[in-house]
Amino acid sequence: MNIRGKLIIIGGAVDKGSFTETNLDRNAPKNLNFFEEGILKRLIKESKLKELSRIEVITTASKIPKEIGPEYVKALSYLGANNVDILDIVRREQAMDAEVLARLRAADVVMFTGGDQLRLTSILGGTQFDDILREKYINEDFIYAGTSAGAAAASSSMIYQGSSSEALLKGEVKITSGLGLIDGVIIDTHFVQRGRIGRLFQAVVGNPKVLGIGLGEDTGLLITNGRQMEAIGSGLVILVDGREVKDTNLTQVELGQPISINHLVTHVMSKNDTFDLDTFKMTIKSSQYV
């Protein structure tokens, strides 16, 4: 399938992307690298009309949307994008409201905030909003951007629960259906900072066909045509490839018991590195062998 849209999935804390700072201008110097080279700047650059693009910030995943939404508007405005508004969808009926759907149809970019990905999918999944979102992503020059919960929900399979410390105990990682914008991957966020590699290991060993993507904070992937991934932001992306797993005790142990896995392949990406989902080949931009 030829997908015209782009995905920008972010591990959370977009330096911050949602700004926790109460005085943006006062704290601008420490965020200068973010403003000039960071993820939101790249989002604007990749969008159809650049700074003039129509951007809708969608706060559905958050329990504090009144606080989160304006932070994104402020951050995007600082970067020159002023055609931005907030869609606070808190009930399924709103995801079928004519005005809300019209705003989605007119958008060049949607930015899904962090929060609870299960809240996001349970409110939007199976609605007209969900259908239009997928149609726009496939057929238009359109960007779906999501941070934290918004990133985790982008794939067909979605991790929604699981203790980091007990993630390699059978049954501790909970998976359900996501929004289905990209197949063949499963995404976890706040990955390095919260030690979630075990969650991704268990998700992948249960179905080694799926590529595990672990996004660090202030780190993301730009995915074009549903296949080409480029690392953006300041941190690390961990990829877990289970296709070469040789053995596991997954089906032999009881729930709550440790899982063994033999020969799980991992890759570590940093800014500008690329990965092809068709060939499973990674290219290090600043390779020491070039």
Side-chain angles (χ1 to χ4, degrees), residues 119-167:
R119 177 179 169 83
L120 180 58
T121 55
S122 65
I123 291 174
L124 296 182
T127 65
Q128 287 177 272
F129 189 99
D130 185 24
D131 293 339
I132 294 168
L133 183 69
R134 192 173 297 104
E135 289 169 8
K136 284 179 69 70
Y137 170 64
I138 293 170
N139 299 315
E140 298 181 20
D141 185 357
F142 173 75
I143 294 178
Y144 172 104
T147 184
S148 190
S155 54
S156 296
S157 297
M158 176 184 82
I159 296 173
Y160 71 92
Q161 186 177 323
S163 163
S164 297
S165 61
E166 299 178 341

Side-chain angles (χ1 to χ4, degrees), residues 252-269:
Q252 301 302 110
V253 298
E254 300 295 326
L255 288 174
Q257 294 301 304
I259 298 171
S260 302
I261 310 169
N262 180 13
H263 207 261
L264 195 58
V265 175
T266 60
H267 308 278
V268 181
M269 301 175 71

Side-chain angles (χ1 to χ4, degrees), residues 48-88:
K48 181 179 179 181
L49 300 175
K50 308 300 187 277
E51 284 83 1
L52 298 178
S53 291
R54 178 62 181 164
I55 302 174
E56 294 283 1
V57 177
I58 300 173
T59 56
T60 303
S62 178
K63 292 182 179 179
I64 51 170
K66 304 294 186 196
E67 299 174 34
I68 295 296
E71 293 176 356
Y72 279 92
V73 174
K74 186 187 297 183
L76 289 162
S77 175
Y78 198 95
L79 295 169
N82 291 300
N83 191 9
V84 183
D85 211 340
I86 301 165
L87 264 177
D88 182 21

Side-chain angles (χ1 to χ4, degrees), residues 87 89 93-107 127-133 136:
L87 264 177
I89 303 169
E93 310 91 81
Q94 291 174 280
M96 293 175 268
D97 179 81
E99 181 182 349
V100 169
L101 298 179
R103 286 175 58 178
L104 175 60
R105 289 189 179 98
T127 65
Q128 287 177 272
F129 189 99
D130 185 24
D131 293 339
I132 294 168
L133 183 69
K136 284 179 69 70

Side-chain angles (χ1 to χ4, degrees), residues 240-241 271:
V240 179
D241 180 358
K271 188 175 180 180

